[in-house]
Amino acid sequence: MCAKLRVRWTITPQIPPQPWINCNGCGGPRAFRSSGKARLNANGRSLDAWLIYRCVGCDKTWNRPIFERRNIRDIDPRILAALQSNDPLWIRAEAFDLDALRRRAQRIDEFPEFSIVKDVLCEACDWTHLEIELMVPVPARLRLDRLLASELSVSRTRLQALSEQGALCIVSGHADSLRRRIRAGIVVELDLSADAGREGLWRPRAAGMPI
Ligand SMILES: [Zn+2]
């Protein structure tokens, strides 16, 4: 077993995706942003729930169905509680549900801004290999090579070269994962045994802290 510095990066996009919906106020398709609010409507034992969006042009609302005409017994109590309290974390997660949005809109704008938290999972003394595990709680529009290049301060050309030399491996990913959108479960392993800048350059960037 080789000596590793293992880190975990948690990447969270900042702005929820915006579906393009026909807006009566503007008279054509417009981007709609999540208002961060949900609405629950009861009709006897039957419930409807929506996420509320607003047109970026005229502020008109669009209600995105979460469920419609659902019997109260068939609704997960945690979801019901989240809707009743307008739980901001639950609503935020729903607002990033790209699959649900794709069922409602042909065009969806996504935004590149993200925050990143870096944690050291374990560190062998005299480590030679850097292992980066990605946590992506909600879909992020970010290519793996762009993320690695910006966070590790190396060029994408160098990353590609490392990959071709076998010094950069993507565990549990596709062969062309470097050019693909990041997702949870991707683990990147870098063999830095020949690199004298391990402690001085790579470690602070990977672990997000000064030595
Ligand atoms: Zn509008």
Side-chain angles (χ1 to χ4, degrees), residues 140-170:
R141 183 171 177 257
L142 184 61
R143 270 171 50 156
L144 179 59
D145 58 353
R146 289 182 194 278
L147 172 73
L148 292 173
S150 69
E151 295 302 318
L152 297 171
S153 302
V154 292
S155 69
R156 284 190 283 148
T157 314
R158 177 147 182 228
L159 289 172
Q160 191 59 45
L162 287 168
S163 173
E164 282 160 15
Q165 293 157 17
L168 185 158
C169 294
I170 295 151

Side-chain angles (χ1 to χ4, degrees), residues 7-108:
V7 297
R8 179 191 290 144
W9 291 358
T10 304
I11 294 117
T12 312
Q14 297 296 289
I15 305 169
Q18 296 181 350
W20 280 64
I21 303 291
N22 221 24
C23 176
N24 294 334
C26 295
R30 288 288 183 280
F32 278 68
R33 62 183 161 73
S34 167
S35 71
K37 291 192 168 58
R39 185 178 297 159
L40 189 63
N41 194 42
N43 189 350
R45 299 292 290 167
S46 164
L47 296 180
D48 299 304
W50 303 277
L51 277 195
I52 314 300
Y53 283 74
R54 288 190 176 277
C55 172
V56 297
C58 71
D59 225 31
K60 208 173 176 63
T61 56
W62 170 60
N63 294 340
R64 186 188 123 200
I66 303 290
F67 52 76
E68 292 173 297
R69 307 276 160 198
R70 183 86 58 89
N71 191 299
I72 192 163
R73 285 174 311 194
D74 300 332
I75 301 165
D76 183 330
R78 285 168 301 179
I79 293 178
L80 199 54
L83 283 163
Q84 283 166 334
S85 63
N86 255 307
D87 178 355
L89 282 180
W90 185 84
I91 290 173
R92 188 176 158 76
E94 284 295 311
F96 277 97
D97 187 341
L98 269 180
D99 290 337
L101 281 168
R102 285 189 184 118
R103 290 196 287 274
R104 305 281 171 189
Q106 299 255 323
R107 174 179 168 183
I108 296 163

